[in-house]
Amino acid sequence: MNFNTRSSIRIDLRSDTATRPSAAMLARMLAADVGDEQLGEDPTTRMLEERSADLLGHEAALFLPTGTMCNQIALLLHCRPGDEVIAARVAHIYNSEGAGAAALAGALVHPIASSNGIFTGSDLTKAVRPYRPRAPRSRLVVIEQTSNRGGGAVWPISTVRSIVEGAHAHGLSVHMDGARLFNAVVASGTSAADFGRCCDSVWIDFSKGLGCPFGAVLAGSKSFIAEAWRWKHRLGGAMRQSGFMAAACLYALDHNVDRLAEDHSKARRFAARLFGSNGIKSPFSKVETNILFLDFADAGVSAPAVVQELRKQGIGLSLEGPSLARAVTHLDIGERDVEEAAEIVATTVATLSRTIATA
Ligand SMILES: *Cc1c(COP(=O)(O)O)cnc(C)c1O
């Protein structure tokens, strides 16, 4: 494991998880009214759950420490061992959850091709297996809104609806991994309830663009959430005075949703400054939200070399492949940081590619 300390990074674009709670968020946490969550006696957590259920167009919701736990509980509830989950090949649930689908739910992920992490209703229908005793049973489809490794692309509501229609017609449920659902809401103008209500389960993450140090909420029907509670206990995720955490999330809903538009415009500016200069390209056609990928192949430099060199200069990008790095804008990245980071990335790539060309 690589336990790099963050201290050397001045401008941390590795992820929108890099934020620290603001003084106002911390003040709200300190003032929280709390009780025992497991006994249903934490008023702040209950308030967050009710508000989130409404926001997401569902009957009920459950506070969980992380988004990964939301995904895992949803898989456990929608699937029986041996069932198949259809998801984009780039999906978090397939690549970044320690194969929890297999290890916990006993489900098989069927990774399918996508464009920017997004597939269509007809792609889904083609992937669903007709009944055959020796084939796995297709049971669930996962929509990752926005698509992280699809460069922050937004699934339009029309695409979501056509997938839901196809899925339900074939007896599949639909789960929305809404780690960045609010980025999609702000970018598309479609409400979270419109996106959420057509899916059978949906969750939002408070530790991504919303600026909290933790927290996620999973929403669904009353009976789904009653069973989700059981898995929350089994997985060890039930808490006590979780109102201190929930207070941060309530603060984020009040103050940090609309401002995501600023993160999107910062990402577009970063892209405008960088793409086309020194052979830096985007693998995707546009920057829709707060995530951008930088492809250095045409610049003739390797991404590990660029990321390492940038790190020495206090800029954090995340390494995503031999020629690929990712930058994510967030609450703790200012306008000036964007200008400065773009400048340093451009000069670093130019210097490295000259060094290689003359070596
Ligand atoms: C971060 C992320 C998750 C997991 O959320 P955590 O709160 O970090 O556990 C799941 N899906 C996507 C698309 C993510 O970006």
Side-chain angles (χ1 to χ4, degrees):
M1 293 246 346
N2 185 4
F3 290 106
N4 278 324
T5 57
R6 179 179 184 260
S7 57
S8 60
I9 302 183
R10 279 178 301 120
I11 304 176
D12 197 347
L13 294 159
R14 289 174 300 172
S15 173
D16 45 6
T17 55
T19 55
R20 301 296 163 100
S22 65
M25 182 181 279
L26 288 167
R28 181 91 166 248
M29 292 164 71
L30 282 174
D33 188 8
V34 300
D36 190 322
E37 182 210 58
Q38 286 190 28
L39 302 177
E41 290 175 1
D42 187 280
T44 310
T45 302
R46 292 178 67 152
M47 194 185 300
L48 175 68
E49 289 169 340
E50 277 164 31
R51 191 161 160 196
S52 302
D54 278 351
L55 262 174
L56 296 171
H58 279 277
E59 284 174 355
L62 179 62
F63 186 46
L64 289 159
T66 68
T68 302
M69 204 176 272
C70 293
N71 272 341
Q72 292 307 317
I73 289 178
L75 290 169
L76 284 157
L77 291 179
H78 289 298
C79 301
R80 290 190 309 221
D83 283 350
E84 186 176 69
V85 179
I86 297 169
R89 215 206 65 75
V90 295
H92 196 278
I93 220 161
Y94 180 54
N95 299 288
S96 306
E97 301 189 10
L104 300 174
L108 177 74
V109 180
H110 176 181
I112 67 171
S114 68
S115 156
N116 302 358
I118 291 167
F119 51 82
T120 64
S122 84
D123 295 335
L124 169 72
T125 321
K126 278 181 222 146
V128 173
R129 299 176 196 261
Y131 172 77
R132 270 156 103 216
R134 64 195 162 94
R137 179 174 73 138
S138 301
R139 180 65 195 97
L140 182 70
V141 54
V142 176
I143 292 174
E144 184 178 303
Q145 183 74 300
T146 64
S147 172
N148 183 340
R149 293 209 157 62
V154 176
W155 299 67
I157 187 70
S158 56
T159 306
V160 172
R161 288 200 175 119
S162 102
I163 286 173
V164 171
E165 204 174 296
H168 288 173
H170 289 89
L172 278 73
S173 294
V174 181
H175 171 67
M176 181 173 278
D177 168 341
R180 295 185 181 81
L181 174 56
F182 281 119
N183 293 88
V185 166
V186 167
S188 67
T190 303
S191 74
D194 280 346
F195 279 125
R197 118 170 15 99
C198 51
C199 301
D200 299 285
S201 52
V202 54
W203 61 271
I204 43 174
D205 207 328
F206 290 94
S207 69
K208 298 285 167 75
L210 297 183
C212 297
F214 35 53
V217 173
L218 174 67
S221 67
K222 275 194 182 132
S223 59
F224 179 89
I225 293 302
E227 285 306 302
W229 252 115
R230 228 187 269 286
W231 276 113
K232 178 173 174 171
H233 275 279
R234 285 183 187 140
L235 298 176
M239 295 175 279
R240 300 296 180 184
Q241 290 74 23
S242 58
F244 291 117
M245 298 163 72
C249 303
L250 285 165
Y251 178 90
L253 288 178
D254 289 338
H255 300 280
N256 294 348
V257 175
D258 294 341
R259 64 148 309 283
L260 289 169
E262 296 166 29
D263 296 342
H264 300 174
S265 81
K266 281 180 273 180
R268 281 195 300 271
R269 257 213 324 287
F270 195 63
R273 171 69 184 82
L274 280 179
F275 294 147
S277 78
N278 306 319
I280 305 172
K281 291 209 310 210
S282 167
F284 304 111
S285 56
K286 55 185 170 182
V287 175
E288 291 183 63
T289 55
N290 66 329
I291 300 177
L292 64 154
F293 280 72
L294 310 172
D295 186 341
F296 306 113
D298 285 2
V301 295
S302 82
V306 175
V307 169
Q308 196 186 357
E309 184 52 37
L310 286 172
R311 184 73 180 237
K312 288 187 205 151
Q313 302 186 52
I315 310 295
L317 294 192
S318 82
L319 184 62
E320 300 289 334
S323 72
L324 216 54
R326 189 187 69 169
V328 187
T329 56
H330 53 76
L331 200 57
D332 290 356
I333 297 293
E335 308 277 332
R336 286 235 193 97
D337 294 330
V338 172
E339 306 300 331
E340 188 187 342
E343 192 58 45
I344 294 175
V345 173
T347 37
T348 300
V349 170
T351 310
L352 283 173
S353 77
R354 258 200 313 278
T355 317
I356 289 163
T358 55

